[in-house]
Amino acid sequence: MKIRSRDEVREAVFDGPEVTIGRVEGNDVMLPVGNVTKRHARLVVKDGKLIIVDLKSTNGTYVNGRKLTSPLVISEDDKVIVGDFTLQFRIDEDPFEDDDTLEVDATELRLLSGVAQHEEGSRLVYADWLEGQGDVTRAEFLRIQEAIPNQGDNDFSTLSKRLWELSKHIDPGWRRKVARPVIENCSLGFELECPKDWGSLSATEKSGERFCGACRKRVYYCATVGEARTHAQIGNCVAVDIVAIRRPHDLEQERERPMRMGMIMPYHDE
């Protein structure tokens, strides 16, 4: 969500099923102006639909110029007016959304399970099996993953570049299952890098989240730097997908970034 007023531009990304909008702290979207009620409205995501609800606000919530009298399903083109602001929302598709529905045979499921359980040599065994199936790209990807931790600086750079090139030809769902990116924004504040990587964490009920035994918190797998930055700003540990283009200090807050869920602009009565 990009929040635009006359004086500044802010941005937020929301992964939960509900977003609250109001004048005071405690709301997901805080609009500190007099014509916005303390708890003004809320946006609910249900069954892939966006539903806007007015919370008995003093000045009302408007959709495309009409005052809201009951919960309403809205689209990306609809303009939601709250006080002096016009809000537009959208739901972005998760590039990893279908990763658990891929057709995988029983042998491959066992091999993936071995990787998930950190069995010694499981990646190399899986790579041998993939190569036997003619899947040389994923086989090479796994072998490089296994080799990288033991390489010197020069070989590390070469192998990392090759891993990135291969990743562009591999579906993101499988990539996340075997990924080994480092954990960033660790809440324990290690003086050195967090000793864990995504592949060493414990699985949870959500494929995009794993549990770190060191900091006793969940770690979130992010497809983009923008998504990772949003998690980092609220103190979450993150692992960033290999395809994302990285820059130094790119998890720090920027003044303006690409919108994910919606946009707020000053309201002008036409």
Side-chain angles (χ1 to χ4, degrees), residues 112 115 123 126 141-142 145 173-181 198-199 210:
L112 279 167
V115 171
R123 291 175 190 273
Y126 189 10
F141 188 91
L142 288 170
Q145 281 188 323
W174 183 88
R175 216 167 51 226
R176 180 167 64 183
K177 290 179 185 296
V178 302
R180 299 186 70 176
W198 176 260
R210 291 188 179 178

Side-chain angles (χ1 to χ4, degrees), residues 16-113:
E18 180 175 315
V19 175
T20 57
I21 304 162
R23 189 177 74 239
V24 298
E25 293 184 3
N27 289 288
D28 299 307
V29 178
M30 188 173 70
L31 305 175
V33 293
N35 56 4
V36 176
T37 303
K38 290 182 179 180
R39 309 290 181 197
H40 196 106
R42 65 187 176 116
L43 183 77
V44 179
V45 181
K46 185 175 182 181
D47 298 328
K49 297 179 181 179
L50 292 167
I51 304 171
I52 188 70
V53 182
D54 182 76
L55 300 178
K56 297 181 180 180
S57 62
T58 301
N59 296 310
T61 301
Y62 294 77
V63 177
N64 300 328
R66 294 185 177 183
K67 189 173 183 178
L68 197 65
T69 57
S70 61
L72 180 69
V73 175
I74 60 173
S75 68
E76 296 180 8
D77 296 327
D78 290 328
K79 295 180 179 180
V80 178
I81 301 165
V82 174
D84 294 332
F85 298 86
T86 297
L87 294 73
Q88 288 180 277
F89 302 94
R90 73 166 183 260
I91 300 176
D92 281 353
E93 294 183 1
D94 182 355
F96 302 103
E97 185 175 4
D98 296 326
D99 68 333
D100 289 325
T101 64
L102 298 175
E103 294 185 4
V104 181
D105 69 20
T107 300
E108 186 163 9
L109 284 174
R110 287 196 297 271
L111 293 167
L112 279 167
S113 177

Side-chain angles (χ1 to χ4, degrees), residues 96-165:
F96 302 103
E97 185 175 4
D98 296 326
D99 68 333
D100 289 325
T101 64
L102 298 175
E103 294 185 4
V104 181
D105 69 20
T107 300
E108 186 163 9
L109 284 174
R110 287 196 297 271
L111 293 167
L112 279 167
S113 177
V115 171
Q117 295 176 33
H118 321 134
E119 294 177 3
E120 186 175 355
S122 57
R123 291 175 190 273
L124 296 180
V125 173
Y126 189 10
D128 289 342
W129 182 85
L130 287 170
E131 195 167 62
Q133 303 298 309
D135 193 341
V136 295
T137 301
R138 289 197 294 167
E140 183 181 358
F141 188 91
L142 288 170
R143 290 196 176 103
I144 292 177
Q145 281 188 323
E146 190 72 15
I148 278 180
N150 302 315
Q151 301 303 311
D153 291 344
N154 292 335
D155 289 336
F156 176 86
S157 177
T158 300
L159 290 174
S160 295
K161 182 179 179 181
R162 178 57 180 164
L163 200 67
W164 184 78
E165 291 171 347

Side-chain angles (χ1 to χ4, degrees), residues 240-254:
V240 185
D241 187 66
I242 189 173
V243 171
I245 303 298
R246 303 301 306 272
R247 296 180 177 84
H249 312 296
D250 56 7
L251 296 191
E252 296 176 2
Q253 185 173 6
E254 296 178 350

